[in-house]
Amino acid sequence: MGVEIERKYLLQGDGWRTLAEPVLLRQGYLSSQRERVVRVRIEGQHAMLTIKGANVGTRRGEWEYPIPLVDANELLDGLCEQPLIEKYRRRIMYAGMVWEVDEFLGANFGLVVAEIELHSVDQPFEKPDWIGAEVSDDTRYYNANLIRHPYSQW
C-alpha cells in the first residue's frame, strides 16, 4: 500500500510566482466520499487514476496508476462529478524538498495553497518565507471538497 503524508499551507506574498513554471492540471472525482476518493487527473500530456483512503491526521493510503490520456478525457468529461478542479501547479525545490503550489481557477479562483509530501509524520523541514498558515486539518481545502463547496462561496 502506498502512503501519503502531506501538509498543506496558505501562501503569503508573491515570492513563489517566479520560482517555477506553471503547469495546467485538470482533475475530477469518480468518488469524493470522505472515506475514499477516486480521482482522474491530467497534467500536461500525462494522466493518472488515483485512489486515496480516509485521512488519519496528515496520513492516508494512496495508490496511483497511469491511464491513457484519451480515457482520462472521457472520464473527466462524461463520468466525473462536476465541476472539475482546474489549477496551475508549480513544483518548487526548497531546502531539498519539493513544494507543490496550486493556484486554482474557475469557482475556486483566488485560492492558492502549497503542499509538501513527507516520508514520516514527524519529518523536519524548512518553510520558505512565502509559506503562511497551515490548513492541513481544515477539510474545506481538500480538493474533493472544493467541487461541492468552491472557494468563491466561502
Side-chain angles (χ1 to χ4, degrees):
M1 170 176 83
V3 175
E4 176 185 63
I5 301 169
E6 178 179 87
R7 293 181 64 181
K8 190 175 290 205
Y9 296 85
L10 298 177
L11 277 74
Q12 54 190 20
D14 283 338
W16 52 273
R17 286 193 184 274
T18 60
L19 300 178
E21 288 297 316
V23 175
L24 181 64
L25 273 71
R26 250 179 107 219
Q27 68 187 40
Y29 293 87
L30 298 168
S31 172
S32 61
Q33 297 176 4
R34 186 178 191 121
E35 54 280 343
R36 82 190 62 78
V37 171
V38 181
R39 176 186 74 204
V40 175
R41 175 185 285 165
I42 296 175
E43 181 174 352
Q45 294 301 306
H46 302 282
M48 299 290 283
L49 178 69
T50 303
I51 303 162
K52 296 184 180 193
N55 279 54
V56 179
T58 56
R59 177 187 170 115
R60 65 179 167 177
E62 179 182 59
W63 302 264
E64 287 193 301
Y65 308 96
I67 61 173
L69 190 58
V70 67
D71 291 355
N73 276 308
E74 288 177 5
L75 290 167
L76 287 171
D77 295 337
L79 198 56
C80 286
E81 299 172 22
Q82 299 294 320
L84 299 178
I85 297 286
E86 294 184 306
K87 58 188 176 180
Y88 285 108
R89 172 166 286 173
R90 290 172 173 84
R91 287 188 172 85
I92 301 171
M93 287 294 298
Y94 181 84
M97 301 291 291
V98 177
W99 288 84
E100 294 180 341
V101 176
D102 290 341
E103 187 174 10
F104 289 82
L105 304 170
N108 292 298
F109 181 80
L111 177 60
V112 183
V113 297
E115 299 175 351
I116 186 169
E117 288 199 22
L118 305 171
H119 298 290
S120 65
V121 173
D122 58 354
Q123 178 181 346
F125 60 93
E126 286 184 52
K127 294 179 196 167
D129 61 3
W130 37 265
I131 291 294
E134 183 168 6
V135 293
S136 300
D137 295 326
D138 189 336
T139 60
R140 294 179 304 165
Y141 293 95
Y142 294 178
N143 283 286
N145 288 340
L146 290 171
I147 59 174
R148 286 186 298 279
H149 304 289
Y151 183 68
S152 62
Q153 296 176 8
W154 295 5

Short mmCIF file of all heavy atoms in Angstrom, two decimals, residues 4 6-8 27 29 32-35 37 39 41 52-60 85 87 102 104 108 111 113 115 135-151 154:
data_model
loop_
_atom_site.label_atom_id
_atom_site.label_comp_id
_atom_site.label_asym_id
_atom_site.label_seq_id
_atom_site.Cartn_x
_atom_site.Cartn_y
_atom_site.Cartn_z
N GLU A 4 0.43 8.40 1.78
CA GLU A 4 0.65 9.82 1.55
C GLU A 4 0.67 10.53 2.89
O GLU A 4 -0.26 10.38 3.68
CB GLU A 4 -0.47 10.38 0.67
CG GLU A 4 -0.37 11.87 0.46
CD GLU A 4 -1.55 12.43 -0.32
OE1 GLU A 4 -2.69 12.34 0.18
OE2 GLU A 4 -1.32 12.93 -1.41
N GLU A 6 1.06 14.37 3.97
CA GLU A 6 1.05 15.67 3.30
C GLU A 6 0.63 16.75 4.27
O GLU A 6 -0.28 16.56 5.07
CB GLU A 6 0.06 15.58 2.14
CG GLU A 6 -0.14 16.81 1.34
CD GLU A 6 -1.13 16.54 0.22
OE1 GLU A 6 -2.34 16.68 0.46
OE2 GLU A 6 -0.69 16.17 -0.87
N ARG A 7 1.29 17.91 4.16
CA ARG A 7 0.88 19.08 4.93
C ARG A 7 0.58 20.19 3.94
O ARG A 7 1.23 20.32 2.91
CB ARG A 7 1.98 19.48 5.91
CG ARG A 7 2.10 18.36 6.98
CD ARG A 7 3.09 18.60 8.03
NE ARG A 7 2.80 19.77 8.85
CZ ARG A 7 3.59 20.15 9.84
NH1 ARG A 7 4.69 19.48 10.13
NH2 ARG A 7 3.29 21.22 10.55
N LYS A 8 -0.44 20.97 4.27
CA LYS A 8 -0.96 21.98 3.34
C LYS A 8 -0.95 23.34 4.03
O LYS A 8 -1.30 23.46 5.21
CB LYS A 8 -2.39 21.59 2.94
CG LYS A 8 -2.97 22.40 1.83
CD LYS A 8 -4.34 21.87 1.43
CE LYS A 8 -4.19 20.54 0.76
NZ LYS A 8 -5.30 20.23 -0.15
N GLN A 27 -8.65 17.98 -13.08
CA GLN A 27 -8.94 16.77 -12.33
C GLN A 27 -10.40 16.71 -11.95
O GLN A 27 -11.07 17.72 -11.80
CB GLN A 27 -8.04 16.64 -11.11
CG GLN A 27 -8.28 17.64 -10.02
CD GLN A 27 -7.24 17.54 -8.92
OE1 GLN A 27 -6.06 17.35 -9.17
NE2 GLN A 27 -7.68 17.68 -7.68
N TYR A 29 -13.47 13.82 -9.95
CA TYR A 29 -13.64 12.77 -8.96
C TYR A 29 -14.73 11.80 -9.38
O TYR A 29 -15.86 12.20 -9.68
CB TYR A 29 -13.96 13.39 -7.60
CG TYR A 29 -12.77 14.15 -7.09
CD1 TYR A 29 -12.56 15.48 -7.45
CD2 TYR A 29 -11.81 13.52 -6.32
CE1 TYR A 29 -11.44 16.16 -7.04
CE2 TYR A 29 -10.67 14.20 -5.90
CZ TYR A 29 -10.49 15.52 -6.27
OH TYR A 29 -9.38 16.19 -5.87
N SER A 32 -15.92 11.09 -4.24
CA SER A 32 -15.32 12.10 -3.37
C SER A 32 -15.83 11.95 -1.94
O SER A 32 -15.90 12.92 -1.19
CB SER A 32 -15.62 13.51 -3.90
OG SER A 32 -17.02 13.74 -3.92
N GLN A 33 -16.15 10.73 -1.56
CA GLN A 33 -16.60 10.48 -0.19
C GLN A 33 -15.42 10.59 0.76
O GLN A 33 -14.27 10.34 0.38
CB GLN A 33 -17.23 9.10 -0.10
CG GLN A 33 -18.47 8.95 -0.95
CD GLN A 33 -19.03 7.54 -0.92
OE1 GLN A 33 -18.54 6.69 -0.21
NE2 GLN A 33 -20.05 7.32 -1.71
N ARG A 34 -15.71 10.95 1.99
CA ARG A 34 -14.65 11.18 2.98
C ARG A 34 -13.76 9.95 3.18
O ARG A 34 -12.55 10.06 3.34
CB ARG A 34 -15.29 11.59 4.30
CG ARG A 34 -14.30 11.98 5.33
CD ARG A 34 -14.98 12.44 6.61
NE ARG A 34 -13.98 13.04 7.46
CZ ARG A 34 -14.03 14.26 7.90
NH1 ARG A 34 -15.03 15.04 7.59
NH2 ARG A 34 -13.08 14.72 8.66
N GLU A 35 -14.35 8.77 3.16
CA GLU A 35 -13.58 7.55 3.43
C GLU A 35 -12.85 6.98 2.21
O GLU A 35 -12.00 6.11 2.33
CB GLU A 35 -14.44 6.47 4.08
CG GLU A 35 -15.70 6.10 3.34
CD GLU A 35 -16.87 7.08 3.56
OE1 GLU A 35 -16.85 7.88 4.51
OE2 GLU A 35 -17.79 7.04 2.74
N VAL A 37 -11.56 8.38 -1.94
CA VAL A 37 -11.55 9.33 -3.05
C VAL A 37 -10.93 8.63 -4.25
O VAL A 37 -9.88 7.99 -4.13
CB VAL A 37 -10.72 10.59 -2.69
CG1 VAL A 37 -10.53 11.48 -3.89
CG2 VAL A 37 -11.38 11.36 -1.55
N ARG A 39 -9.80 9.70 -8.03
CA ARG A 39 -9.58 10.91 -8.82
C ARG A 39 -8.96 10.56 -10.17
O ARG A 39 -8.12 9.67 -10.27
CB ARG A 39 -8.63 11.83 -8.04
CG ARG A 39 -8.25 13.09 -8.78
CD ARG A 39 -7.20 13.87 -8.03
NE ARG A 39 -5.91 13.21 -8.13
CZ ARG A 39 -4.92 13.35 -7.25
NH1 ARG A 39 -5.07 14.09 -6.18
NH2 ARG A 39 -3.78 12.73 -7.43
N ARG A 41 -6.77 12.62 -13.12
CA ARG A 41 -6.04 13.88 -13.30
C ARG A 41 -5.26 13.84 -14.61
O ARG A 41 -4.63 12.86 -14.94
CB ARG A 41 -5.08 14.12 -12.15
CG ARG A 41 -4.22 15.38 -12.38
CD ARG A 41 -3.18 15.58 -11.32
NE ARG A 41 -3.80 16.07 -10.10
CZ ARG A 41 -3.20 16.06 -8.92
NH1 ARG A 41 -1.98 15.57 -8.79
NH2 ARG A 41 -3.81 16.56 -7.87
N LYS A 52 -7.46 7.24 -2.95
CA LYS A 52 -6.98 7.64 -1.63
C LYS A 52 -7.96 7.18 -0.58
O LYS A 52 -9.17 7.26 -0.76
CB LYS A 52 -6.81 9.16 -1.54
CG LYS A 52 -5.75 9.71 -2.48
CD LYS A 52 -5.55 11.19 -2.28
CE LYS A 52 -4.49 11.73 -3.23
NZ LYS A 52 -4.06 13.08 -2.86
N GLY A 53 -7.42 6.73 0.56
CA GLY A 53 -8.25 6.34 1.69
C GLY A 53 -8.55 7.53 2.58
O GLY A 53 -8.19 8.67 2.27
N ALA A 54 -9.20 7.26 3.69
CA ALA A 54 -9.56 8.31 4.65
C ALA A 54 -8.31 8.87 5.32
O ALA A 54 -7.35 8.15 5.57
CB ALA A 54 -10.50 7.75 5.71
N ASN A 55 -8.36 10.17 5.62
CA ASN A 55 -7.25 10.81 6.34
C ASN A 55 -7.22 10.34 7.78
O ASN A 55 -8.26 10.25 8.44
CB ASN A 55 -7.42 12.33 6.32
CG ASN A 55 -6.95 12.94 5.04
OD1 ASN A 55 -7.37 12.54 3.97
ND2 ASN A 55 -6.07 13.92 5.15
N VAL A 56 -6.02 10.10 8.26
CA VAL A 56 -5.76 9.90 9.68
C VAL A 56 -4.69 10.94 10.02
O VAL A 56 -3.51 10.71 9.83
CB VAL A 56 -5.26 8.46 9.97
CG1 VAL A 56 -4.99 8.29 11.46
CG2 VAL A 56 -6.26 7.43 9.47
N GLY A 57 -5.14 12.11 10.43
CA GLY A 57 -4.23 13.24 10.60
C GLY A 57 -3.74 13.69 9.24
O GLY A 57 -4.53 13.98 8.34
N THR A 58 -2.42 13.69 9.05
CA THR A 58 -1.83 14.10 7.77
C THR A 58 -1.44 12.89 6.92
O THR A 58 -0.74 13.02 5.93
CB THR A 58 -0.57 14.97 8.01
OG1 THR A 58 0.35 14.23 8.83
CG2 THR A 58 -0.94 16.29 8.67
N ARG A 59 -1.92 11.70 7.28
CA ARG A 59 -1.53 10.46 6.62
C ARG A 59 -2.76 9.74 6.06
O ARG A 59 -3.82 9.74 6.68
CB ARG A 59 -0.82 9.58 7.66
CG ARG A 59 -0.41 8.25 7.20
CD ARG A 59 0.12 7.46 8.40
NE ARG A 59 0.32 6.10 8.02
CZ ARG A 59 1.48 5.50 7.97
NH1 ARG A 59 2.56 6.13 8.33
NH2 ARG A 59 1.57 4.25 7.58
N ARG A 60 -2.60 9.11 4.88
CA ARG A 60 -3.65 8.28 4.32
C ARG A 60 -3.09 7.36 3.24
O ARG A 60 -2.03 7.64 2.67
CB ARG A 60 -4.79 9.11 3.76
CG ARG A 60 -4.45 9.99 2.58
CD ARG A 60 -5.70 10.71 2.15
NE ARG A 60 -5.44 11.79 1.23
CZ ARG A 60 -6.39 12.51 0.69
NH1 ARG A 60 -7.65 12.26 0.97
NH2 ARG A 60 -6.11 13.48 -0.13
N ILE A 85 -11.97 20.33 -11.10
CA ILE A 85 -10.97 21.20 -10.49
C ILE A 85 -9.94 21.51 -11.56
O ILE A 85 -9.39 20.59 -12.19
CB ILE A 85 -10.29 20.52 -9.29
CG1 ILE A 85 -11.28 20.21 -8.16
CG2 ILE A 85 -9.10 21.34 -8.79
CD1 ILE A 85 -11.73 21.41 -7.38
N LYS A 87 -6.43 23.96 -12.13
CA LYS A 87 -5.47 24.77 -11.39
C LYS A 87 -4.13 24.73 -12.09
O LYS A 87 -3.84 23.81 -12.86
CB LYS A 87 -5.34 24.25 -9.95
CG LYS A 87 -4.91 22.80 -9.86
CD LYS A 87 -4.99 22.29 -8.43
CE LYS A 87 -4.66 20.81 -8.32
NZ LYS A 87 -4.74 20.34 -6.94
N ASP A 102 -0.39 25.28 -5.75
CA ASP A 102 -1.56 25.20 -6.63
C ASP A 102 -2.32 26.52 -6.61
O ASP A 102 -2.73 27.00 -5.55
CB ASP A 102 -2.49 24.08 -6.18
CG ASP A 102 -1.92 22.70 -6.44
OD1 ASP A 102 -0.99 22.59 -7.26
OD2 ASP A 102 -2.41 21.73 -5.83
N PHE A 104 -5.66 27.98 -8.05
CA PHE A 104 -6.93 27.46 -8.57
C PHE A 104 -7.60 28.42 -9.55
O PHE A 104 -7.43 29.64 -9.46
CB PHE A 104 -7.87 27.14 -7.41
CG PHE A 104 -7.45 25.94 -6.62
CD1 PHE A 104 -6.48 26.04 -5.64
CD2 PHE A 104 -8.01 24.70 -6.87
CE1 PHE A 104 -6.07 24.93 -4.92
CE2 PHE A 104 -7.61 23.59 -6.16
CZ PHE A 104 -6.64 23.70 -5.18
N ASN A 108 -13.00 28.27 -7.91
CA ASN A 108 -12.02 28.32 -6.81
C ASN A 108 -10.94 29.36 -7.05
O ASN A 108 -9.93 29.39 -6.35
CB ASN A 108 -11.40 26.93 -6.60
CG ASN A 108 -12.42 25.96 -6.08
OD1 ASN A 108 -12.95 26.15 -4.99
ND2 ASN A 108 -12.73 24.94 -6.87
N LEU A 111 -7.89 31.08 -4.70
CA LEU A 111 -7.31 30.17 -3.71
C LEU A 111 -5.94 29.72 -4.19
O LEU A 111 -5.78 29.26 -5.33
CB LEU A 111 -8.22 28.95 -3.51
CG LEU A 111 -7.71 27.88 -2.55
CD1 LEU A 111 -7.50 28.46 -1.15
CD2 LEU A 111 -8.66 26.69 -2.52
N VAL A 113 -2.69 27.42 -2.54
CA VAL A 113 -2.18 26.63 -1.43
C VAL A 113 -0.87 25.95 -1.83
O VAL A 113 -0.62 25.73 -3.01
CB VAL A 113 -3.19 25.55 -0.95
CG1 VAL A 113 -4.46 26.18 -0.42
CG2 VAL A 113 -3.50 24.56 -2.05
N GLU A 115 1.59 22.52 -0.84
CA GLU A 115 1.63 21.23 -0.16
C GLU A 115 3.05 20.71 -0.17
O GLU A 115 3.80 20.94 -1.11
CB GLU A 115 0.73 20.21 -0.87
CG GLU A 115 -0.72 20.60 -0.93
CD GLU A 115 -1.55 19.62 -1.76
OE1 GLU A 115 -0.97 18.75 -2.44
OE2 GLU A 115 -2.78 19.76 -1.73
N VAL A 135 -3.12 24.66 6.96
CA VAL A 135 -4.53 24.31 6.84
C VAL A 135 -4.71 22.80 6.60
O VAL A 135 -5.74 22.37 6.09
CB VAL A 135 -5.22 25.13 5.72
CG1 VAL A 135 -5.27 26.61 6.09
CG2 VAL A 135 -4.53 24.93 4.37
N SER A 136 -3.71 22.01 7.00
CA SER A 136 -3.75 20.56 6.76
C SER A 136 -5.00 19.90 7.33
O SER A 136 -5.53 18.95 6.74
CB SER A 136 -2.51 19.88 7.37
OG SER A 136 -1.34 20.38 6.79
N ASP A 137 -5.47 20.38 8.46
CA ASP A 137 -6.62 19.75 9.12
C ASP A 137 -7.96 20.41 8.78
O ASP A 137 -8.99 20.01 9.30
CB ASP A 137 -6.42 19.78 10.64
CG ASP A 137 -5.25 18.92 11.08
OD1 ASP A 137 -5.01 17.88 10.43
OD2 ASP A 137 -4.57 19.29 12.05
N ASP A 138 -7.94 21.40 7.91
CA ASP A 138 -9.17 22.10 7.51
C ASP A 138 -9.71 21.45 6.24
O ASP A 138 -9.17 21.65 5.15
CB ASP A 138 -8.88 23.58 7.29
CG ASP A 138 -10.13 24.41 7.09
OD1 ASP A 138 -11.17 23.86 6.67
OD2 ASP A 138 -10.05 25.63 7.32
N THR A 139 -10.77 20.67 6.36
CA THR A 139 -11.30 19.89 5.24
C THR A 139 -11.82 20.76 4.10
O THR A 139 -11.98 20.26 2.99
CB THR A 139 -12.40 18.92 5.71
OG1 THR A 139 -13.47 19.68 6.29
CG2 THR A 139 -11.86 17.93 6.72
N ARG A 140 -12.07 22.04 4.33
CA ARG A 140 -12.52 22.92 3.23
C ARG A 140 -11.49 22.97 2.11
O ARG A 140 -11.84 23.20 0.95
CB ARG A 140 -12.75 24.34 3.74
CG ARG A 140 -13.89 24.50 4.70
CD ARG A 140 -14.02 25.93 5.16
NE ARG A 140 -12.76 26.40 5.74
CZ ARG A 140 -12.47 27.67 5.95
NH1 ARG A 140 -13.32 28.62 5.62
NH2 ARG A 140 -11.32 28.02 6.49
N TYR A 141 -10.22 22.76 2.45
CA TYR A 141 -9.14 22.88 1.48
C TYR A 141 -8.85 21.59 0.72
O TYR A 141 -8.00 21.57 -0.15
CB TYR A 141 -7.86 23.38 2.16
CG TYR A 141 -7.99 24.80 2.64
CD1 TYR A 141 -8.36 25.08 3.94
CD2 TYR A 141 -7.77 25.86 1.78
CE1 TYR A 141 -8.50 26.39 4.38
CE2 TYR A 141 -7.90 27.17 2.20
CZ TYR A 141 -8.26 27.43 3.51
OH TYR A 141 -8.40 28.73 3.94
N TYR A 142 -9.54 20.51 1.04
CA TYR A 142 -9.37 19.26 0.29
C TYR A 142 -9.95 19.48 -1.11
O TYR A 142 -11.08 19.97 -1.26
CB TYR A 142 -10.10 18.09 0.94
CG TYR A 142 -9.58 17.66 2.29
CD1 TYR A 142 -10.21 16.63 2.97
CD2 TYR A 142 -8.49 18.25 2.90
CE1 TYR A 142 -9.77 16.20 4.21
CE2 TYR A 142 -8.04 17.83 4.14
CZ TYR A 142 -8.68 16.81 4.78
OH TYR A 142 -8.25 16.38 6.01
N ASN A 143 -9.21 19.09 -2.13
CA ASN A 143 -9.68 19.26 -3.50
C ASN A 143 -11.05 18.63 -3.71
O ASN A 143 -11.90 19.20 -4.39
CB ASN A 143 -8.67 18.68 -4.48
CG ASN A 143 -7.48 19.57 -4.67
OD1 ASN A 143 -7.56 20.60 -5.31
ND2 ASN A 143 -6.35 19.17 -4.11
N ALA A 144 -11.27 17.46 -3.14
CA ALA A 144 -12.56 16.78 -3.30
C ALA A 144 -13.71 17.59 -2.71
O ALA A 144 -14.84 17.53 -3.20
CB ALA A 144 -12.51 15.38 -2.67
N ASN A 145 -13.44 18.38 -1.68
CA ASN A 145 -14.49 19.23 -1.09
C ASN A 145 -14.70 20.52 -1.88
O ASN A 145 -15.77 21.12 -1.81
CB ASN A 145 -14.15 19.55 0.35
CG ASN A 145 -14.31 18.35 1.26
OD1 ASN A 145 -15.01 17.39 0.91
ND2 ASN A 145 -13.67 18.38 2.40
N LEU A 146 -13.69 20.94 -2.63
CA LEU A 146 -13.82 22.18 -3.40
C LEU A 146 -14.79 22.05 -4.58
O LEU A 146 -15.24 23.06 -5.11
CB LEU A 146 -12.44 22.63 -3.91
CG LEU A 146 -11.49 23.14 -2.83
CD1 LEU A 146 -10.09 23.37 -3.40
CD2 LEU A 146 -12.03 24.41 -2.19
N ILE A 147 -15.16 20.83 -4.97
CA ILE A 147 -16.17 20.70 -6.03
C ILE A 147 -17.56 20.94 -5.45
O ILE A 147 -18.43 21.45 -6.15
CB ILE A 147 -16.10 19.34 -6.76
CG1 ILE A 147 -16.29 18.17 -5.80
CG2 ILE A 147 -14.82 19.22 -7.55
CD1 ILE A 147 -16.38 16.82 -6.50
N ARG A 148 -17.79 20.60 -4.19
CA ARG A 148 -19.10 20.82 -3.56
C ARG A 148 -19.23 22.20 -2.92
O ARG A 148 -20.31 22.78 -2.88
CB ARG A 148 -19.34 19.74 -2.50
CG ARG A 148 -19.67 18.39 -3.07
CD ARG A 148 -20.04 17.39 -2.00
NE ARG A 148 -18.96 17.13 -1.04
CZ ARG A 148 -17.95 16.29 -1.28
NH1 ARG A 148 -17.88 15.65 -2.41
NH2 ARG A 148 -17.03 16.11 -0.37
N HIS A 149 -18.12 22.70 -2.41
CA HIS A 149 -18.10 24.00 -1.72
C HIS A 149 -16.92 24.82 -2.23
O HIS A 149 -15.90 24.95 -1.56
CB HIS A 149 -18.00 23.79 -0.20
CG HIS A 149 -19.07 22.94 0.37
ND1 HIS A 149 -20.38 23.34 0.47
CD2 HIS A 149 -19.03 21.67 0.82
CE1 HIS A 149 -21.09 22.36 0.98
NE2 HIS A 149 -20.31 21.33 1.19
N PRO A 150 -17.07 25.40 -3.43
CA PRO A 150 -15.96 26.17 -4.03
C PRO A 150 -15.57 27.36 -3.16
O PRO A 150 -16.38 27.93 -2.43
CB PRO A 150 -16.53 26.63 -5.36
CG PRO A 150 -17.71 25.79 -5.62
CD PRO A 150 -18.25 25.36 -4.29
N TYR A 151 -14.33 27.71 -3.29
CA TYR A 151 -13.74 28.83 -2.55
C TYR A 151 -14.55 30.12 -2.73
O TYR A 151 -14.71 30.89 -1.80
CB TYR A 151 -12.30 29.02 -3.03
CG TYR A 151 -11.52 30.08 -2.33
CD1 TYR A 151 -11.16 29.95 -0.99
CD2 TYR A 151 -11.12 31.23 -3.00
CE1 TYR A 151 -10.43 30.92 -0.33
CE2 TYR A 151 -10.39 32.22 -2.37
CZ TYR A 151 -10.05 32.06 -1.05
OH TYR A 151 -9.33 33.03 -0.41
N TRP A 154 -17.28 30.70 -0.02
CA TRP A 154 -16.96 30.73 1.40
C TRP A 154 -17.34 32.06 2.00
O TRP A 154 -17.34 33.07 1.47
CB TRP A 154 -15.50 30.47 1.66
CG TRP A 154 -15.03 29.10 1.27
CD1 TRP A 154 -15.75 28.11 0.64
CD2 TRP A 154 -13.73 28.55 1.47
NE1 TRP A 154 -14.97 27.01 0.44
CE2 TRP A 154 -13.74 27.24 0.93
CE3 TRP A 154 -12.57 29.04 2.05
CZ2 TRP A 154 -12.60 26.43 0.98
CZ3 TRP A 154 -11.47 28.23 2.07
CH2 TRP A 154 -11.49 26.94 1.55
#
